[in-house]
Amino acid sequence: GIQVEQSPPDLILQEGANSTLRCNFSDSVNNLQWFHQNPWGQLINLFYIPSGTKQNGRLSATTVATERYSLLYISSSQTTDSGVYFCAVLREGFKTIFGAGTRLFVKA
Amino acid sequence: KAGVTQTPRYLIKTRGQQVTLSCSPISGHRSVSWYQQTPGQGLQFLFEYFSETQRNKGNFPGRFSGRQFSNSRSEMNVSTLELGDSALYLCASSPRQGGEQYFGPGTRLTVT
């Protein structure tokens, strides 16, 4: 099956700092999503990005499907950005695979 | 549109019992997937239903089962509960198979 690796596993930032989270996957995929899991367990959709670049406010994401990786950029981080960030990939006909996540803590 | 809803939100059961969890997808969404999240194993896919048929299944024992109704609502059942079944169970809906998934708040199951 497809392997999904996220890095770094843990990240501590000072409020206002920028960061880049990475998601590598081992095979071609049809679908890639980024999620933020808040402290109550809710998974919040950030991006649906099988390829290309998207931006939403302080967040942006880029997926290079041919090189099998995706990046999530967080700029001017805020304490409310704390939580766990997951990428999830899907290859048509197969099950969705989640990475292990990046745990982010933003200090005030 | 209302989001994905899951009931109950919290549940405590005893080993050997069975449990049924419910998921109502976003209106118009026909695909429902279930996931188990534990600290040790992370987020793992259980199964996906589309048009009342199971389309895909993860690597879980037969004690885990599910179904989908004609209105796309879905239930999952776990029989003969074990301590290791304690987890957050998440449901996601999508307008189509393989499409963007939207998650519900989850059901936190504790098995004692």
Side-chain angles (χ1 to χ4, degrees), chain B residues 18-61:
Chain B
Q18 74 165 18
V19 67
T20 299
L21 311 182
S22 181
C23 173
S24 292
I26 292 171
S27 177
H29 285 196
R30 297 172 59 194
S31 170
V32 173
S33 298
W34 289 89
Y35 297 84
Q36 182 197 63
Q37 185 175 25
T38 60
Q41 300 298 318
L43 273 153
Q44 293 187 289
F45 173 83
L46 279 157
F47 26 66
E48 178 191 11
Y49 285 87
F50 183 81
S51 293
E52 301 178 63
T53 301
Q54 188 180 93
R55 302 291 177 160
N56 223 330
K57 190 177 191 303
N59 300 325
F60 281 82

Side-chain angles (χ1 to χ4, degrees), chain A residues 47-58:
Chain A
F47 295 101
Y48 172 75
I49 186 167
S51 64
T53 298
K54 290 187 177 179
Q55 179 154 9
N56 184 5
R58 297 182 295 104

Side-chain angles (χ1 to χ4, degrees), chain A residues 30-31 33 35 37 39-48 54 86 88 90-100, chain B residues 9-10 33 35 37 42-45 48 55-59 88 90 96-106 108:
Chain A
N30 302 105
N31 176 349
Q33 286 187 253
F35 297 93
Q37 189 168 41
W40 297 273
Q42 175 78 53
L43 278 168
I44 299 161
N45 287 37
L46 297 178
F47 295 101
Y48 172 75
K54 290 187 177 179
F86 290 100
L90 175 67
R91 188 173 176 185
E92 196 152 338
F94 295 84
K95 57 189 179 184
T96 299
I97 304 294
F98 274 80
Chain B
R9 293 293 312 279
Y10 302 91
S33 298
Y35 297 84
Q37 185 175 25
L43 273 153
Q44 293 187 289
F45 173 83
E48 178 191 11
R55 302 291 177 160
N56 223 330
K57 190 177 191 303
N59 300 325
L88 179 66
L90 292 160
R96 59 178 178 85
Q97 269 190 281
E100 184 173 5
Q101 296 184 66
Y102 298 83
F103 281 80
R108 193 168 294 278

Side-chain angles (χ1 to χ4, degrees), chain A residues 6-47:
Chain A
Q6 290 188 242
S7 60
D10 298 281
L11 189 56
I12 300 174
L13 297 175
Q14 194 67 45
E15 198 169 28
N18 303 327
S19 63
T20 301
L21 282 56
R22 188 177 181 103
C23 173
N24 291 334
F25 43 97
S26 61
D27 207 339
S28 59
V29 298
N30 302 105
N31 176 349
L32 187 146
Q33 286 187 253
W34 283 97
F35 297 93
H36 174 214
Q37 189 168 41
N38 65 23
W40 297 273
Q42 175 78 53
L43 278 168
I44 299 161
N45 287 37
L46 297 178
F47 295 101

